[in-house]
């Protein structure tokens, strides 16, 4: 709350966890709230319109979303490791495979000018880590809210691997 921390926020926890796998500081945190240990804890702005949240309260999907509503979904995309410029940026490679082209088919080609400016400009597209980045997919439509299973069916691409955690915002 504002008096203690300087801002208003709400912490939400998800997924049951063995007590032995939770750090001692978090065990005390959960005991104070009166809930069993959880896998993940995230903090959100306490700007909920009609919903009154209390410590230790269970939250279901039907309290937040209705069918036909549009939401933004944030998550961490699948990691693809260190990739070359063809896969990472869609480069075409160096021309055809004939006329002396040896082992340069997927190479980036030239990366800068000559003795002036005598450096490589920042932001030039090169090989490197691909994926494993936080991203938000905006304006995805909620097709169905399954209250009995506490699930949300969304139309569109959701960032992340199967089973990964995402954040859904109105």
């Amino acid at each position: 709350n504002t008096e203690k921390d300087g801002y208003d926020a709400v912490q939400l926890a998800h997924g049951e966890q063995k007590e032995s796998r939770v750090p001692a500081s978090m065990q005390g945190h959960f005991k104070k709230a009166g809930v069993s240990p959880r896998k993940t804890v995230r903090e959100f702005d306490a700007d909920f319109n009609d919903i009154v949240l209390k410590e230790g309260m269970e939250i279901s999907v039907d309290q937040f979303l209705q069918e036909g509503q549009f939401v933004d979904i944030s998550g961490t995309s699948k990691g693809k490791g260190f990739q070359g410029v063809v896969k990472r940026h869609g480069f075409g490679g160096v021309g055809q495979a004939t006329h002396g082209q040896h082992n340069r088919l997927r190479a980036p080609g030239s990366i800068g000018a000559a003795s002036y400016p005598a450096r490589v400009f920042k932001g030039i597209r090169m090989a490197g880590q691909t994926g494993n980045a936080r991203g938000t997919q905006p304006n995805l439509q909620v097709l169905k809210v399954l209250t009995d299973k506490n699930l949300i069916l969304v139309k569109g691409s959701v960032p992340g691997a199967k089973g990964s955690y995402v954040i859904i915002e109105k």
Side-chain angles (χ1 to χ4, degrees), residues 73-130:
I73 300 184
S74 302
T76 304
S77 63
K78 285 184 178 181
K80 291 167 177 58
F82 192 96
Q83 298 299 325
V85 292
V86 173
K87 184 166 188 173
R88 189 175 188 209
H89 299 294
F91 283 19
V94 182
Q96 297 84 8
T98 58
H99 297 292
Q101 299 296 320
H102 173 68
N103 72 8
R104 279 197 304 279
L105 293 178
R106 296 173 69 88
S110 173
I111 61 165
S115 59
Y116 178 80
R119 65 189 179 96
V120 177
F121 292 111
K122 279 187 178 179
I124 192 150
R125 296 175 299 166
M126 292 182 155
Q129 165 74 36
T130 305

Side-chain angles (χ1 to χ4, degrees), residues 73 136-138 140 154-160:
I73 300 184
T136 300
Q137 191 71 31
L140 298 178
V154 178
K155 179 181 181 180
S157 60
V158 176

